[in-house]
């Protein structure tokens, strides 16, 4: 199964100069917890999560309208390609310990987003006859790696 078979093809995104008030409104209106940050050319330059926003607003003495996506977004963003196998995307999620991957083409242009939600909804129970394309075990293994307490591994 390919990433393109599971990904959300319409990814809501923001630009580096988007302030957190606007980014928060985008997340609220579109029921999402992450926004790929894209350049004027449409290339993914980072990802802004609801957690990034919450931590930034809780630890800085600034209003949401004064902070931008560029100020708080994760800059080194793990991504995948629509033609990647879903197991490759799961491996990337495990390694980067993230639940969402921007999906980009060969030029780095945003094409969609793949979330653990997308994968979980396609997972099937192994029945012993034929292994499902994405099994419950695949999902649990990825989630365990993602949720592992990094403080215990340092």
């Amino acid at each position: 199964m390919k990433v393109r078979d599971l990904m959300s093809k319409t990814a809501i995104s923001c630009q580096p100069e988007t302030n957190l008030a606007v980014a928060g409104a985008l997340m609220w209106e579109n029921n999402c917890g992450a926004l790929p940050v894209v350049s004027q050319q449409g290339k993914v330059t980072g990802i802004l999560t609801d957690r990034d926003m919450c931590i930034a607003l809780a630890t800085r003495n600034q209003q949401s309208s004064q902070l931008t996506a560029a100020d708080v977004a994760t800059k080194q963003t793990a991504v995948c390609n629509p033609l990647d196998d879903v197991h490759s995307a799961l491996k990337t999620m495990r390694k980067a310990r993230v639940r969402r991957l921007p999906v980009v083409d060969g030029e780095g242009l945003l094409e969609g987003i793949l979330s653990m939600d997308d994968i979980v909804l396609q997972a099937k129970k192994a029945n012993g006859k034929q292994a499902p394309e994405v099994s419950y075990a695949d999902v649990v293994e990825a989630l365990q790696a993602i949720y592992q307490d990094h403080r215990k591994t340092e």
Side-chain angles (χ1 to χ4, degrees), residues 74-87:
T74 302
K75 310 265 187 297
Q76 293 183 335
T77 304
V79 298
C80 62
N81 182 279
L83 298 178
D84 288 346
D85 184 81
V86 69
H87 291 95

Side-chain angles (χ1 to χ4, degrees), residues 92-112:
T92 300
M93 288 176 164
R94 283 193 306 269
K95 184 176 178 186
R97 298 181 61 198
V98 296
R99 294 179 294 128
R100 305 167 188 101
L101 292 175
V103 181
V104 299
D105 67 11
E107 303 292 316
L109 299 174
L110 183 64
E111 289 199 3

Side-chain angles (χ1 to χ4, degrees), residues 88-145:
S88 173
L90 280 169
K91 182 178 179 181
T92 300
M93 288 176 164
R94 283 193 306 269
K95 184 176 178 186
R97 298 181 61 198
V98 296
R99 294 179 294 128
R100 305 167 188 101
L101 292 175
V103 181
V104 299
D105 67 11
E107 303 292 316
L109 299 174
L110 183 64
E111 289 199 3
I113 194 159
L114 179 69
S115 73
M116 279 301 298
D117 294 356
D118 300 324
I119 297 169
V120 165
L121 292 172
Q122 290 300 313
K124 305 277 187 251
K125 185 177 181 179
N127 64 12
K129 296 176 185 173
Q130 183 178 3
E133 290 189 72
V134 180
S135 71
Y136 290 169
D138 295 330
V139 170
V140 169
E141 182 181 314
L143 287 172
Q144 285 176 329

Side-chain angles (χ1 to χ4, degrees), residues 13-111:
S13 63
C14 67
Q15 294 185 321
E17 63 275 6
T18 303
N19 71 50
L20 298 191
V22 171
L26 284 170
M27 288 181 186
W28 176 259
E29 292 164 4
N30 293 283
N31 192 31
C32 63
L35 299 173
V37 181
V38 297
S39 68
Q40 293 287 339
Q41 297 77 29
K43 291 189 178 189
V44 174
T45 62
I47 191 160
L48 177 66
T49 68
D50 48 6
R51 183 177 191 280
D52 295 331
M53 291 172 52
C54 184
I55 298 296
L57 292 170
T59 59
R60 301 177 190 198
N61 191 22
Q62 292 180 285
Q63 295 179 349
S64 59
S65 60
Q66 296 173 316
L67 292 169
T68 66
D71 294 330
V72 300
T74 302
K75 310 265 187 297
Q76 293 183 335
T77 304
V79 298
C80 62
N81 182 279
L83 298 178
D84 288 346
D85 184 81
V86 69
H87 291 95
S88 173
L90 280 169
K91 182 178 179 181
T92 300
M93 288 176 164
R94 283 193 306 269
K95 184 176 178 186
R97 298 181 61 198
V98 296
R99 294 179 294 128
R100 305 167 188 101
L101 292 175
V103 181
V104 299
D105 67 11
E107 303 292 316
L109 299 174
L110 183 64
E111 289 199 3

